[in-house]
Amino acid sequence: MTTTAQYLDEAERFGANNYHPLPVVLERGEGVYVWDVEGRRYLDMLSAYSALNQGHRHPRIVRALVEQAERLTLTSRAFHNDRLGPFLSRLCRLTGFERALPMNTGAEAVETAIKAARKWGQDVRGVPEGDAEIIVFDGNFHGRTTTIISFSSEPLYRKGFGPFTPGFRLVPYGDLQALRGAMSRRTIAVLVEPIQGEAGVVVPPPGFMRAVKALCREHGALLLADEIQTGLGRTGRLFACDWEDVRPDVMIVGKALGGGVYPVSAILADDAVMNVFSPGTHGSTFGGNPLAAAVAMASLDVLVEERLAERAAELGAWFMDELRALESPVVEEVRGRGLLIGVVIRSDAGPARPFCEALMERGILAKETHEQVIRFAPPLVVTREQLQEALPIIAEVLGRPLSPG
Ligand SMILES: *Cc1c(COP(=O)(O)O)cnc(C)c1O
């Protein structure tokens, strides 16, 4: 048995069967590259679903992690720590929100946003508990907790996991008419991804987010933007909402906030919403711990100082053009923004999975999402040369070999 096969076997025997990973076992990473246990090198074009925007083991982030680990790692929120204040202030000043509430995983931050919206709905808007509704969209992905899957439109995510949390209403993504029709006095909030990543990098029609914001204002509802995947530079701006100059009432961040080394998430909001929380109403043992705060601060510094959003805008636009120029006979559409790119495989060419396997065999790691879509989302520290090297390989796999020279 190969080394790889042994690791796969062990993980399959002792692990739960809740993932279907590509059969590659990684043991080292640096920048945009990872190496498997057989010594093969791969270009990482998934970036842990955008949790690795700063690349693998960014030296500055690792240094922050190690230095903090040698000083103080965990206090709980029963006490203050000397990293939390600086982190919150850095995050607020960068994003322009008055307050931040740190959590750990993305799903926890989404839950926090839902709790904030519900409490605001009752305390500020005066909507009775049983009436309050949050509008969400078909194809949404906001995490895996029981409340969050309660409003998933994906049967696989829900089947067998009920009873579900009430108080959510689904409308088609990108459909303003439907949204307008669904909004009422009961609507306390709209929860939306500015681009749906897990649904297959689904980009709404131009002006959508701006119109959603306007509808929210009209109905006195909060706009909750889930930018856990699209935020922190991925789409070519700090937030995908920035493309339409939309400022949500609650911004939800995660993934790249932890710089690829540690789970850190947060919600951002102004006093009017954040002040619904009082001591005891919400919390997390690990949320805002000094290790997380030190790592997140370094992650934000790298994002800003290495101009990762600008890089994503420039390289993403170019790379998307190059992918379209391949004119692959198996590709229906190339879509996305910045370095969040979806290549949609024509249904008559079969599912996307075998294409991802073929890419893997040739040293490129990408993962299919929702059967037909290959997501290309490399770390934002990637260079044009590194992407250039990937193009002939992608061309070959998509059935349109480039002539040499
Ligand atoms: C990944 C993701 C989440 C969930 O984050 P976890 O850290 O896996 O809990 C929520 N929303 C969006 C848009 C995501 O991409």
Side-chain angles (χ1 to χ4, degrees), residues 105-107 110 141-143 193 198 226 228-229 255:
T105 64
V110 172
F141 183 83
H142 299 286
E193 300 156 87
E198 295 312 297
D226 181 348
I228 291 168
Q229 186 163 161
K255 292 201 167 120

Side-chain angles (χ1 to χ4, degrees), residues 54-137:
Q54 300 90 341
H56 290 268
R57 294 192 306 112
H58 192 291
R60 184 156 170 191
I61 299 170
V62 169
R63 202 184 323 127
L65 176 82
V66 170
E67 282 177 4
Q68 189 59 44
E70 285 171 348
R71 205 179 309 133
L72 180 69
T73 55
L74 185 62
T75 55
S76 84
R77 293 295 300 277
F79 315 113
H80 286 271
N81 72 72
D82 70 347
R83 298 285 81 202
L84 180 60
F87 161 51
L88 296 176
S89 120
R90 178 91 178 85
L91 185 57
C92 287
R93 274 183 288 121
L94 177 66
T95 59
F97 287 90
E98 291 172 355
R99 293 177 185 274
L101 197 172
M103 301 296 284
N104 311 283
T105 64
E108 284 173 290
V110 172
E111 291 273 355
T112 303
I114 291 169
K115 284 178 71 174
R118 284 181 164 184
K119 195 145 173 53
W120 177 89
Q122 276 186 63
D123 296 359
V124 180
R125 273 271 310 274
V127 179
E129 184 173 299
D131 283 356
E133 228 170 43
I134 297 177
I135 298 182
V136 293
F137 294 92

Side-chain angles (χ1 to χ4, degrees), residues 109-273:
V110 172
E111 291 273 355
T112 303
I114 291 169
K115 284 178 71 174
R118 284 181 164 184
K119 195 145 173 53
W120 177 89
Q122 276 186 63
D123 296 359
V124 180
R125 273 271 310 274
V127 179
E129 184 173 299
D131 283 356
E133 228 170 43
I134 297 177
I135 298 182
V136 293
F137 294 92
D138 288 341
N140 73 72
F141 183 83
H142 299 286
R144 300 292 199 161
T145 63
T146 34
T147 284
I148 294 172
I149 61 158
S150 293
F151 56 84
S152 175
S153 59
E154 168 60 58
L156 184 65
Y157 296 171
R158 284 167 52 97
K159 196 167 181 299
F161 296 117
F164 299 111
T165 307
F168 299 95
R169 183 163 175 174
L170 276 165
V171 302
Y173 188 60
D175 186 339
L176 287 169
Q177 205 63 32
L179 178 60
R180 188 175 291 113
M183 289 188 87
S184 70
R185 273 177 300 130
R186 299 174 57 179
T187 311
I188 52 154
V190 174
L191 171 62
V192 62
E193 300 156 87
I195 294 175
Q196 289 187 331
E198 295 312 297
V201 192
V202 179
V203 183
F208 177 67
M209 286 302 294
R210 197 180 275 237
V212 173
K213 170 82 191 186
L215 280 174
C216 283
R217 182 166 297 164
E218 197 180 305
H219 288 84
L222 299 177
L223 175 59
L224 321 176
D226 181 348
E227 294 239 24
I228 291 168
Q229 186 163 161
T230 52
L232 304 182
R234 173 54 58 186
T235 72
R237 302 289 294 268
L238 181 60
F239 293 113
C241 283
D242 295 346
W243 283 107
E244 295 188 357
D245 292 319
V246 165
R247 187 173 184 272
D249 301 291
V250 178
M251 177 68 86
I252 310 167
V253 290
K255 292 201 167 120
L257 187 57
V261 302
Y262 197 87
V264 191
S265 67
I267 69 162
L268 306 162
D270 291 342
D271 289 351
V273 174

